[in-house]
Amino acid sequence: MFGSAVLTWLLADHLDKYDRKSVLVLFLLLRGLCLIACGFATTPIALIILFTLSGSFTGPASSVLMAAVIDVTPPPNRGRVMAFIGSAFSIAAILMVPLSLLVSLYFSWQINFWIFGGLGLVLAVLCVMAFPTMTSHIQSGGKAKQKAVSVLFAQSKVKIALLVVAIQILAHFLIISNFSAYFQFNLSFPREHMSALYFGGGAASFIALQFTGKLFDKGIRHQLHIVSALLVALSLYLIFIETPQVNALFVLFALMMTVSTVRMSATTSIISHLPSPPQRAAFMSINNSVSNVASGAAGFLSAALLTTTADNKIVGMDWVAMLSIFLTVAAPLILWRWVNHDSLIIPNNDQAPPIAKR
């Protein structure tokens, strides 16, 4: 997380200077090669270094990808498209996470690195073949000498939006980093059913995003953001403070995962309108850096707040859940108050630019 944050931040001023396709292919290749190398690591230190490098390249790749999606999507359709892109995380939860858990359980830990590294290389080749060349953002940037990061941080609404992202990610990963161990050791959830848990949550999230994306385009962004955050808070309370029965966890986890996905998509839909084309990759880079730092900080914070008993039960999860609930509710209220509907009035020149031929 921290490696991705550092590299993405360092490259923020440069990503908008080049063809988005070339940059995306480069970082996909680097990430895929590092993941494959992880499978050949012979010491823990080598594995950590290689895996950190692979994660570092993920930040710039996802920043450029999201900037490209915004570039080619007219403002009235962005909510639906961003929700569609967000559903990829649900598909990953439905297919990739359960499959990777099974592969590591029945084969070896190296296999997953080789599979996902190889898929990364295949994806890079597909991008070379099918992804359009995108240079319109370079032309629209003119000859301005001011750095993109400086332009963005001169806008108070950008800083507020990044603060909200940090709060939201911190609240999310305070729980996500520990819920698997908590489910198994505190709630006696069977280890062999974890794949089914992910599958149910991912499927519910995918279905929900098909409906909420259309609502985003109708201007119901902030309302969905607030409602989904309240439902996240409710699900956290029921899971970590009320300590439900094992069978109820399937429903509660699906609820938590669904509304969390909707909340993240709502946030992305709201803040995607803030940067202009010449600063979009820079904005997404900063957004990714903030997200990665917040998620890494959440891991350290939860580790500091939690302890374990002799039988591996986690102690203090109720207090961590209460902190997460507070941050979860605060984030959309801040965004509603300081990044209001007036900031989402799209200027006439914010249209999807023409795309060069492949």
Side-chain angles (χ1 to χ4, degrees), residues 122-136:
V122 171
L123 187 59
V125 173
L126 291 176
C127 283
V128 171
M129 298 171 58
F131 206 86
T133 298
M134 300 182 66
T135 56
S136 298

Side-chain angles (χ1 to χ4, degrees), residues 152-164 274 283 339:
L152 290 168
F153 275 103
Q155 306 172 45
S156 59
K157 289 177 180 177
V158 168
K159 289 182 281 190
I160 294 295
L162 293 173
L163 173 64
V164 169
L274 294 177
F283 176 78
V339 185

